[in-house]
Amino acid sequence: MKILVLNSGSSSIKYQLFDMPAETVLASGVMEQIGEAQSRLTHYTRNSKGEMEEIVKAEPVADHQGGFQLIGAVLSESGAVQDTNTLSGIGHRVVHGGEEFREPTLINDKVIETVRRLSPLAPLHNPANLTGIEVAMQSAPDVPQVAVFDTAFHQSIPIYAFRYAIPQDLYEAHHVRRYGFHGTSHHYVAKQAARLMDRPLNSLNLISLHLGNGASAAAVKGGISIDTSMGMTPLEGLIMGTRCGDIDPAIIFYLKRKTGLAGDEVESILNQDSGLKGICGVNDMRQIEELAQAGNSQAQLAIEMVCYRIKKYIGAYYAVLGRLDALVFTAGIGEKSPLIRAGSCRGLSHLGIEIDPEKNNQKSKKAFEIQTRGSTVKVLVIPTNEELEIAEQTLACIQNL
Ligand code: ADP
């Protein structure tokens, strides 16, 4: 069964075509700069030897409709799929599912309306995700389409963990609460951890650390998310590439008074100019590690602060889980930075978390264990694959039709 996974942004569409349930990637790519003078489609497809080959199309594409059509044409040209209307299913990444969506959901008009209604909670993402859905529904009307929500995995978080201590009526009228994000990734790596440990997921207590440009921690008890560090928006929690993570909310009002900046200007600083970038001027961890190595004290501080914040979350989630079976590192930094993994776990041997430096320094595209023999908690590095998780969930959803 051929399943296309779409991740639509405001000026881009990322996609992957899977043969399921074999989990084979038949093609993938990204359509970028939609609506600009020079749009670009970079497409990867399998050649006759089974190797991935790149095809680039640079031509103006006015809108998402044109983008989807070009993707369909390239998929068909390269023989990956005859016509997008012959796909078995299309899975869409949708960032915010509010309190309405706990599961992957077959898309109909009502679902589209609900996702639209939730847009104020994710103004940068939901409208773009919706455009992708509408375009794909128009272009491939015979194909069942499924929305997979970043927030869904965290809908199991109990009320005492998802409510903020602000007046009840603000929660009720304006839906101010913790939703959490990266749910597709946390769910995927939790399932992979269970497979790796050869244990049923519902018997496992995990702390999952998704450390990419955006970063979040999740406490997973018996396979279910019971807390996560991102909140009503993806600004809360760990220190990220350009986002501040946890701060005293009074800082916002203080800054407004002191600098005369408007609320949305402060919001933009906290989202785009803070985090690693705010501390040392650079938001790419590879570069920061090089600068730190060369003696740059701001880069060294950024690394120290990132690791300290992660360690605080490990401690907090260990306390709420009671027993911890495994700590999982994933996403760009989690998968590829031994320095951040070591720094985050330094001094945690009293909690049974101990990393073996040699194992930690290995490079692998597959999952691997990095704990010492004496560590009672397993420490796992697991490559995330949100697209595959969306394909799996789409398949599960359409199989029930
Ligand atoms: P996104 O959230 O955009 O999907 P990724 O999961 O790709 O981000 O993670 C991006 C981060 O991973 C960047 O900070 C990048 O510098 C970091 N990263 C990638 N490779 C390495 C590496 N070898 N060592 C340290 N950091 C790395």
Side-chain angles (χ1 to χ4, degrees):
M1 289 173 105
K2 289 183 181 172
I3 294 194
L4 182 66
V5 173
L6 291 181
N7 181 354
S8 296
S10 55
S11 65
S12 70
I13 307 175
K14 289 191 196 133
Y15 60 95
Q16 270 194 39
L17 178 69
F18 289 91
D19 184 22
M20 297 296 284
E23 302 184 358
T24 314
V25 179
L26 301 173
S28 68
V30 56
M31 171 84 242
E32 289 169 294
Q33 291 165 293
I34 296 173
E36 290 177 33
Q38 203 42 283
S39 320
R40 184 186 165 91
L41 174 67
T42 313
H43 179 80
Y44 296 90
T45 195
R46 265 184 213 287
N47 62 20
S48 51
K49 290 184 205 144
E51 297 154 349
M52 286 308 238
E53 214 168 63
E54 186 184 279
I55 301 171
V56 176
K57 300 243 174 203
E59 56 186 80
V61 168
D63 51 21
H64 283 69
Q65 179 83 38
F68 188 78
Q69 270 160 8
L70 187 59
I71 292 168
V74 172
L75 284 170
S76 153
E77 231 172 77
S78 59
V81 71
Q82 210 183 344
D83 168 339
T84 48
N85 230 346
T86 63
L87 289 162
S88 302
I90 300 180
H92 294 267
R93 177 190 181 211
V94 181
V95 166
H96 219 303
E99 292 185 318
E100 280 78 356
F101 298 105
R102 303 178 73 93
E103 303 278 344
T105 306
L106 193 68
I107 302 173
N108 55 26
D109 289 347
K110 188 160 169 262
V111 171
I112 291 178
E113 265 330 292
T114 312
V115 173
R116 198 185 313 282
R117 192 163 43 72
L118 294 168
S119 287
L121 288 170
L124 297 179
H125 295 100
N126 273 27
N129 301 155
L130 262 180
T131 306
I133 290 175
E134 285 173 329
V135 160
M137 299 274 279
Q138 279 161 19
S139 306
D142 302 334
V143 181
Q145 312 214 11
V146 175
V148 179
F149 299 92
D150 275 18
T151 47
F153 182 56
H154 300 304
Q155 276 297 301
S156 45
I157 294 176
I159 188 163
Y160 54 80
F162 77 64
R163 275 289 306 275
Y164 293 112
I166 61 168
Q168 166 94 8
D169 54 349
L170 292 179
Y171 163 56
E172 285 171 359
H174 302 292
H175 319 286
V176 178
R177 52 159 285 181
R178 177 182 311 285
Y179 294 97
F181 300 86
H182 292 143
T184 310
S185 175
H186 287 300
H187 195 185
Y188 177 80
V189 297
K191 289 196 288 189
Q192 293 300 313
R195 206 180 282 181
L196 209 68
M197 293 165 78
D198 202 16
R199 299 244 317 253
L201 179 57
N202 65 10
S203 73
L204 285 182
N205 287 1
L206 308 167
I207 295 173
S208 157
L209 298 162
H210 176 112
L211 310 176
N213 277 316
S216 68
V220 177
K221 188 168 192 164
I224 283 169
S225 174
I226 59 158
D227 205 351
T228 193
S229 58
M230 281 180 168
M232 185 179 97
T233 74
L235 188 56
E236 193 182 345
L238 302 178
I239 294 173
M240 308 178 220
T242 61
R243 287 175 236 157
C244 58
D246 296 335
I247 59 166
D248 177 347
I251 291 170
I252 297 165
F253 313 106
Y254 175 81
L255 281 178
K256 281 178 67 181
R257 277 196 302 273
K258 275 292 198 191
T259 63
L261 289 169
D264 50 4
E265 289 173 308
V266 176
E267 187 179 15
S268 156
I269 290 172
L270 299 181
N271 271 297
Q272 279 136 42
D273 301 319
S274 298
L276 295 169
K277 187 177 169 196
I279 306 163
C280 69
V282 179
N283 68 322
D284 187 292
M285 186 53 86
R286 271 166 298 200
Q287 240 177 307
I288 295 169
E289 289 188 8
E290 281 166 23
L291 287 168
Q293 183 76 28
N296 180 307
S297 59
Q298 293 311 109
Q300 288 166 353
L301 176 64
I303 289 171
E304 213 172 344
M305 286 173 69
V306 161
C307 293
Y308 179 71
R309 182 75 55 87
I310 296 170
K311 189 191 279 195
K312 281 213 290 194
Y313 271 93
I314 294 173
Y317 288 169
Y318 203 141
V320 299
L321 287 168
R323 183 199 84 231
L324 181 62
D325 299 306
L327 185 63
V328 182
F329 285 93
T330 194
I333 297 169
E335 291 165 31
K336 297 194 191 109
S337 174
L339 184 78
I340 298 296
R341 294 194 295 256
S344 308
C345 295
R346 190 163 296 127
L348 294 184
S349 47
H350 62 291
L351 296 180
I353 300 172
E354 212 172 66
I355 288 185
D356 177 320
E358 207 173 301
K359 291 183 191 163
N360 187 32
N361 281 329
Q362 68 185 289
K363 287 193 179 117
S364 170
K365 288 199 167 138
K366 294 202 174 133
F368 54 98
E369 295 185 7
I370 60 171
Q371 76 280 355
T372 61
R373 287 167 78 97
S375 179
T376 52
V377 175
K378 281 200 189 292
V379 185
L380 309 174
V381 177
I382 301 182
T384 191
N385 193 338
E386 287 162 284
E387 292 78 13
L388 177 58
E389 178 65 23
I390 294 174
E392 278 179 8
Q393 298 206 10
T394 301
L395 178 67
C397 199
I398 61 177
Q399 273 175 339
N400 293 334
L401 291 178

